[in-house]
Amino acid sequence: MTETAVPYPAGSSDPSQYVRAREKGSRDVTYPDAPEPLAVPVYDNHAHLEIEDGEVGLSLDEQLSRAGDVGVIGVVQAGGDIESSRWSAWAAASHPRVLAAVAIHPNEAPAYAAAGRLDEAIAVIDELASQPRVRAIGETGLDFFRTDEDGRPAQFASFEAHIALAKKHGIAMQIHDRDAHDAVLETLERVGAPERTVFHCFSGDAEMAEVARERGYYLSFAGNVTFKNAQNLRDALEVTPRERILVETDAPFLTPTPHRGRPNAPYLIPVTVRFMAAKLGVDLDELCAQLAANTLEVYGPFEG
Ligand SMILES: [Zn+2]
């Protein structure tokens, strides 16, 4: 969430108008070709479709139709501040293939706190969480990589408030954990985790995955499971019970190998799923069926 946020057009508070643009830098910003479609459909469990990437950004409709063409039949759209959470709730309310997660991201919490607005921001999340297609609080958690000591009290306060919201609304929680494994696990144990707790873009190792297994947490694997230097993630994948594995893009980030650095999108989920099936030595269709069932177990049905 270091991306440049483009505010609503002047005088508008229409959440559908909200977009932010990803830095192009010197990356290859062309979208990769579509992979071969999956025979058994799956869902993208975590994406940021309000963030435009590519030479030309893809509209939400285009994102969903490209995804559908390769067997990715739904997306959980995650927010990280007031505006993107409102956009997420709007997207879910307007599209049968989208469900929303809403939250103040751990790297945003200190800024809201410094402005004296953290309570107000959490109240907005609470209100959004009562909408029927908002099915998770997320992404929330702790990030000791981008936030230094000064910002941590606000991060902890925000994380605990978000845990309470997930329990209050009886919905899932998507955790962002960067360089904060022990503190996240300790916090969940101390205050009590929501019934369905997901580590989005799981970044731990097999040892941490064992703890998650004992406690019944879900681990959501992103495109970085395919990266050469990510043996820890593949080890974690192998020890995670099949009924606790999810898959996500974290689009537009974390594009799987061999497209690393290019824009990521839900239609690229098949690349990651095929890689996971090969690593686990399981049948692709069986893995897809399991992943889809796990998504519905955590977030509930997309239709209706
Ligand atoms: Zn994310």
Side-chain angles (χ1 to χ4, degrees):
M1 306 295 292
T2 54
E3 309 304 318
T4 318
V6 181
Y8 298 126
S12 167
S13 60
D14 176 357
S16 70
Q17 297 302 307
Y18 180 77
V19 287
R20 38 176 110 205
R22 184 179 180 193
E23 301 280 354
K24 288 194 167 71
S26 56
R27 294 180 298 127
D28 175 355
V29 291
T30 58
Y31 276 92
D33 287 341
E36 198 189 316
L38 296 171
V40 175
V42 299
Y43 303 91
D44 181 350
N45 285 260
H46 182 106
H48 302 278
L49 300 183
E50 86 286 10
I51 302 177
E52 281 191 354
D53 199 2
E55 288 167 304
V56 181
L58 299 179
S59 69
L60 179 57
D61 286 329
E62 198 167 352
Q63 288 274 15
L64 297 171
S65 96
R66 284 193 188 199
D69 287 347
V70 294
V72 180
I73 57 169
V75 178
V76 181
Q77 157 66 31
D81 55 20
I82 290 177
E83 290 76 15
S84 60
S85 291
R86 284 196 172 128
W87 190 91
S88 301
W90 163 80
S94 331
H95 292 267
R97 291 192 169 187
V98 180
L99 293 177
V102 295
I104 303 303
H105 192 283
N107 288 324
E108 301 292 326
Y112 280 105
R117 295 184 61 209
L118 186 56
D119 289 348
E120 174 199 331
I122 288 169
V124 171
I125 299 305
D126 188 7
E127 200 185 311
L128 292 172
S130 63
Q131 295 187 18
R133 293 182 65 77
V134 174
R135 305 282 178 77
I137 295 294
E139 53 191 291
T140 181
L142 300 172
D143 186 324
F144 294 170
F145 179 77
R146 271 201 242 139
T147 294
D148 59 18
E149 298 277 351
D150 294 356
R152 290 187 195 165
Q155 250 187 18
F156 275 100
S158 179
F159 185 27
E160 291 183 28
H162 281 83
I163 294 171
L165 286 183
K167 292 189 212 169
K168 172 183 166 184
H169 293 278
I171 55 180
M173 181 169 73
Q174 294 190 340
I175 294 179
H176 169 102
D177 157 29
R178 187 153 185 200
D179 292 358
H181 304 326
D182 292 346
V184 167
L185 290 172
E186 188 279 324
T187 303
L188 291 172
E189 196 68 346
R190 178 165 44 82
V191 304
E195 207 178 304
R196 285 154 293 146
T197 294
V198 178
F199 279 78
H200 126 70
C201 187
F202 180 71
S203 60
D205 56 13
E207 198 184 327
M208 183 175 175
E210 291 285 3
V211 176
R213 173 196 194 113
E214 279 160 29
R215 299 192 194 170
Y217 301 154
Y218 291 81
L219 304 189
S220 183
F221 290 88
N224 54 345
V225 73
T226 67
F227 293 176
K228 208 170 179 183
N229 63 357
Q231 189 56 44
N232 61 311
L233 301 182
R234 293 184 281 277
D235 294 342
L237 175 65
E238 274 171 24
V239 301
T240 302
R242 299 285 148 75
E243 65 278 9
R244 290 288 181 271
I245 298 174
L246 299 169
V247 67
E248 63 171 74
T249 53
D250 205 15
F253 311 108
L254 294 176
T255 318
T257 303
H259 309 303
R260 203 172 167 177
R262 295 170 70 181
N264 199 7
Y267 76 86
L268 291 170
I269 277 276
V271 178
T272 304
V273 173
R274 284 199 173 90
F275 180 93
M276 289 165 70
K279 273 295 144 196
L280 291 169
V282 298
D283 177 70
L284 177 63
D285 293 353
E286 257 172 55
L287 179 64
C288 289
Q290 178 77 65
L291 289 169
N294 296 348
T295 300
L296 299 177
E297 184 78 27
V298 173
Y299 302 106
F302 279 67
E303 304 294 333

